[in-house]
Amino acid sequence: GQQLNQSPQSMFIQEGEDVSMNCTSSSIFNTWLWYKQDPGEGPVLLIALYKAGELTSNGRLTAQFGITRKDSFLNISASIPSDVGIYFCAGQGENNDMRFGAGTRLTVKP
Amino acid sequence: DTGVSQDPRHKITKRGQNVTFRCDPISEHNRLYWYRQTLGQGPEFLTYFQNEAQLEKSRLLSDRFSAERPKGSFSTLEIQRTEQGDSAMYLCASSLGYRGYGYTFGSGTRLTVV
């Protein structure tokens, strides 16, 4: 089962608004990753984080690796309609397998 | 190279039948992973290969599930005696090495058991 708690489960926002979602775990991870999945497709990597405290940006996306190594957040600034989709956090631990959160479904109203 | 390919994209089968899915990874990737994703959930890890060796299979959901990667290239996932609870999206991913940033996912095979 899932070891990662991702919130919120869904968000309905207006185009242009900023978005924030986060992920927490009872386990320590060495790598945190954020993926986006469109309907009928596999997840696509957005951002990868490798060090506790690391803050990384990719265009309008910013993600941070929590100091405790048990949490991460993803921010999307100035949302646009193509940001619609499901966002997943994933953590990779000592044994290198990757665990996913249950996802945040984002809807952007034009 | 066009990425990770999965075939078929959709499969409808009757309960009790066997099904097999194929995954063709990115050619230079030595690791191949299978995940299952049910509605409203994130992908759930099933098994992975490094070259032709299956290094983790304890999370395969039951003994009805098996996977092979005979020559270290493509892989197959077989489900025997399918049950309605097996209905899900089955995702394949490949990577060069173990770091998460290197995973590339295919588009998945959606299985419906009726």
Side-chain angles (χ1 to χ4, degrees):
Chain A
Q2 304 291 348
Q3 293 183 346
L4 304 186
N5 298 307
Q6 189 171 347
S7 64
Q9 284 188 328
S10 60
M11 303 183 73
F12 295 82
I13 62 168
Q14 205 72 37
E15 182 177 357
E17 289 183 352
D18 298 344
V19 172
S20 185
M21 58 191 78
N22 67 78
C23 209
T24 61
S25 170
S26 57
S27 305
I28 289 174
F29 289 114
N30 295 327
T31 304
W32 279 96
L33 306 108
W34 286 91
Y35 286 84
K36 180 173 183 265
Q37 187 174 29
D38 292 325
E41 298 297 326
V44 174
L45 181 67
L46 299 174
I47 289 182
L49 303 153
Y50 306 107
K51 293 182 184 178
E54 179 181 357
L55 184 71
T56 296
S57 293
N58 178 9
R60 294 179 296 106
L61 277 59
T62 301
Q64 185 157 32
F65 191 144
I67 290 290
T68 65
R69 294 165 63 193
K70 292 183 178 182
D71 63 299
S72 177
F73 71 74
L74 174 71
N75 288 341
I76 306 172
S77 62
S79 58
I80 58 178
S82 62
D83 291 334
V84 164
I86 304 177
Y87 292 79
F88 291 100
C89 62
Q92 196 173 30
E94 290 293 336
N95 57 0
N96 295 323
D97 67 335
M98 200 152 61
R99 302 294 180 97
F100 284 80
T104 295
R105 182 180 296 273
L106 178 64
T107 302
V108 180
K109 292 180 272 188
Chain B
D1 198 334
T2 56
V4 178
S5 298
Q6 291 190 245
D7 183 68
R9 289 294 307 271
H10 304 274
K11 177 72 177 178
I12 299 174
T13 192
K14 291 184 178 179
R15 190 173 51 187
Q17 296 294 306
N18 299 343
V19 293
T20 300
F21 311 138
R22 178 180 170 122
C23 172
D24 286 273
I26 292 174
S27 55
E28 60 266 29
H29 285 184
N30 59 343
R31 290 196 168 206
L32 186 149
Y33 311 83
W34 285 100
Y35 283 79
R36 184 182 80 154
Q37 186 176 23
T38 54
L39 203 59
Q41 297 296 317
E44 178 185 8
F45 172 76
L46 296 178
T47 187
Y48 87 94
F49 295 84
Q50 179 163 302
N51 300 312
E52 65 273 15
Q54 190 173 13
L55 298 186
E56 172 61 66
K57 56 182 178 180
S58 64
R59 296 209 194 95
L60 284 168
L61 300 163
S62 77
D63 58 8
R64 297 183 297 106
F65 287 71
S66 63
E68 293 183 344
R69 194 183 184 197
K71 298 181 180 177
S73 56
F74 74 91
S75 175
T76 57
L77 178 71
E78 182 183 14
I79 309 174
Q80 296 182 328
R81 305 180 303 281
T82 52
E83 302 173 357
Q84 286 189 318
D86 297 332
S87 296
M89 174 81 89
Y90 291 85
L91 292 164
C92 175
S94 68
S95 71
L96 183 61
Y98 65 88
R99 297 301 293 271
Y101 68 80
Y103 283 45
T104 301
F105 280 86
S107 297
T109 293
R110 179 163 296 284
L111 173 67
T112 303
V113 182
V114 297

